[in-house]
Amino acid sequence: MISIEEIKKQIPNCLAGTNFANLGKRYEGKVRDNYTTVDGKRIIVITDRLSAFDRVICLIPFKGQVLNQMAKFWFEQTKDIIENHVIEYPDANVIIGRECKPLPVEMVVRGYITGVTSTSAWYNYEKGVRNFCGNVLPEGLKKNQKLPVPIITPSTKAEHGGHDESVSRDQIIERGLLTAERYDTLASACLKLYQRGVEIAAKQGIIFVDTKYEFGISPEGKIVLIDEIHTPDSSRFWFADEYEKRFAAGEEQKKIDKEYLREWLAERGFRGEGEIPAIPEDIKAETARRYIEAYELITGQKFDAQVEPVLPRVEKVLLNI
Ligand SMILES: Nc1ncnc2c1ncn2[C@@H]1O[C@H](COP(=O)(O)OP(=O)(O)OP(=O)(O)O)[C@@H](O)[C@H]1O
Ligand SMILES: [Mg+2]
């Protein structure tokens, strides 16, 4: 794997963002810059921005490439289950998909009961909730326990900057967000996608804990998987070899995600409010190393790290699109 020294050299080369005037209508998410072209394509540039506590915290070298290539791995591993929006990957940090009409719910699938935020299954269970988004949960579950069967806990898609709301199948249908038939099609696809993720991750010694999917309707009227799939920004992964021991001892699980930086921030009293603490280079490089390690572990492939400025490379590729 690339050394910490090499990773540090990439810090000044990080991709902060893009602002292409001629690509199409621009929409900036916390991590990705999206462009909708006039000919029905969605160009998504995955930047090196890291978000935590609903804020953009800093730039992490190679993070955009890790996320994009991990999504690529999973799109390819799941395309027999459901069609996805992908047209091509013209650069390590770019994916071009077909522009679809997004469906207004995010489909969250959980195999374990965990989490700390107010929308998480464990937070609600601990407060006494036994029917979570229409799923009846048994008594006596402990934090991080495997659920008897994976559950779907959909959430509505909040407008830019708003907070998502957890809902049940019945609420989705009552509110007219989806028809019952369409919900059931999505639910069945989600469970198959999650199951595929569980199987592939297990072979690599990883527990695929939970994730979320977004779907859209293609111009021909088909349901298509859009956005991204099974990356550390949308999913939780734990190391399988430590699971039982830690679970029995009531300890936290060893995680593959942005937890490292979140904990570093939390130790300094930052939980999303006020000024973001300055992040030292060592912490950025270690965060990057963990992302790269996760990529190599999950995909079983070596990460191709080029120490070079990302923006000019992306610019060159997209100028010829
Ligand atoms: N092929 C596609 N067609 C239409 N919309 C898409 C497609 N792929 C992704 N999207 C949508 O584009 C939006 C991309 O936003 P993005 O994820 O960059 O930011 P966000 O979801 O608003 O905020 P966050 O940064 O918190 O994720 C999402 O709503 C996603 O559902
Ligand atoms: Mg998003």
Side-chain angles (χ1 to χ4, degrees):
M1 205 180 96
I2 183 175
S3 66
I4 283 280
E5 287 66 40
E6 289 293 297
I7 293 177
K8 277 192 190 162
K9 284 191 203 152
Q10 184 66 2
I11 292 176
N13 295 335
C14 280
L15 182 61
T18 62
N19 200 348
F20 298 115
N22 302 320
L23 276 189
K25 192 166 166 286
R26 182 173 178 278
Y27 170 85
E28 184 178 314
K30 283 193 283 293
V31 172
R32 294 171 295 174
D33 294 347
N34 298 259
Y35 298 86
T36 304
T37 69
V38 285
D39 60 349
K41 289 180 184 160
R42 174 166 289 237
I43 300 175
I44 307 176
V45 182
I46 296 87
T47 72
D48 292 322
R49 301 191 290 263
L50 179 140
S51 81
F53 306 105
D54 268 341
R55 301 264 303 271
V56 175
I57 304 295
C58 65
L59 301 177
I60 297 296
F62 300 114
K63 175 178 178 271
Q65 183 181 341
V66 167
L67 259 75
N68 193 36
Q69 296 189 332
M70 211 181 275
K72 177 181 179 187
F73 171 80
W74 285 112
F75 274 129
E76 284 168 0
Q77 296 289 328
T78 55
K79 62 183 180 211
D80 60 311
I81 298 173
I82 183 164
E83 186 174 329
N84 60 56
H85 68 152
V86 178
I87 299 171
E88 60 169 326
Y89 303 89
D91 179 85
N93 287 63
V94 181
I95 176 177
I96 302 184
R98 290 198 297 157
E99 179 73 19
C100 298
K101 194 170 165 294
L103 293 173
V105 288
E106 295 192 350
M107 298 292 277
V108 181
V109 184
R110 305 170 191 270
Y112 292 74
I113 186 156
T114 189
V116 289
T117 65
S118 60
T119 50
S120 74
W122 175 250
Y123 177 92
N124 283 276
Y125 189 85
E126 207 183 15
K127 287 195 3 190
V129 173
R130 291 294 176 270
N131 185 324
F132 188 51
C133 304
N135 302 284
V136 178
L137 300 170
E139 287 301 325
L141 291 178
K142 297 199 181 74
K143 188 177 184 196
N144 299 343
Q145 190 163 346
K146 188 175 186 186
L147 291 162
V149 288
I151 59 171
I152 301 176
T153 66
S155 79
T156 58
K157 271 202 215 174
E159 291 299 311
H160 208 28
H163 288 284
D164 299 345
E165 183 196 352
S166 298
V167 284
S168 65
R169 174 183 184 277
D170 291 350
Q171 285 170 315
I172 288 173
I173 296 162
E174 265 164 37
R175 293 184 198 180
L177 295 173
L178 298 173
T179 62
E181 191 199 353
R182 189 160 271 173
Y183 178 87
D184 293 339
T185 306
L186 298 189
S188 145
C190 283
L191 292 175
K192 286 184 195 150
L193 291 168
Y194 177 73
Q195 189 53 34
R196 179 70 54 84
V198 167
E199 284 161 16
I200 292 173
K203 286 193 192 127
Q204 305 297 116
I206 292 159
I207 296 177
F208 182 37
V209 181
D210 53 30
T211 190
K212 70 109 177 101
Y213 302 103
E214 295 186 34
F215 297 91
I217 304 296
S218 72
E220 318 73 272
K222 280 210 257 174
I223 294 179
V224 175
L225 180 64
I226 61 168
D227 210 57
E228 55 111 293
I229 171 172
H230 299 180
T231 75
D233 273 5
S234 65
S235 316
R236 275 195 189 90
F237 301 92
W238 294 336
F239 287 92
D241 58 347
E242 303 243 336
Y243 175 78
E244 285 300 340
K245 193 183 81 201
R246 287 174 181 248
F247 179 68
E251 287 169 10
E252 277 308 314
Q253 291 299 324
K254 195 171 163 211
K255 303 168 184 124
I256 300 183
D257 52 27
K258 54 190 170 195
E259 211 54 28
Y260 173 72
L261 193 69
R262 283 172 61 144
E263 279 167 9
W264 187 89
L265 289 164
E267 278 164 20
R268 278 148 194 86
F270 181 79
R271 285 194 173 71
E273 304 297 323
E275 206 181 315
I276 299 169
I279 321 259
E281 293 210 337
D282 285 341
I283 302 295
K284 289 183 185 175
E286 176 58 17
T287 305
R289 196 192 62 75
R290 289 174 182 230
Y291 270 103
I292 295 168
E293 188 180 40
Y295 173 86
E296 296 194 341
L297 195 56
I298 291 170
T299 66
Q301 291 162 16
K302 193 173 174 317
F303 182 72
D304 178 23
Q306 302 293 333
V307 177
E308 63 184 9
V310 182
L311 184 61
R313 199 188 68 213
V314 167
E315 246 165 13
K316 206 168 146 200
V317 166
L318 291 183
L319 276 178
N320 297 316
I321 290 287

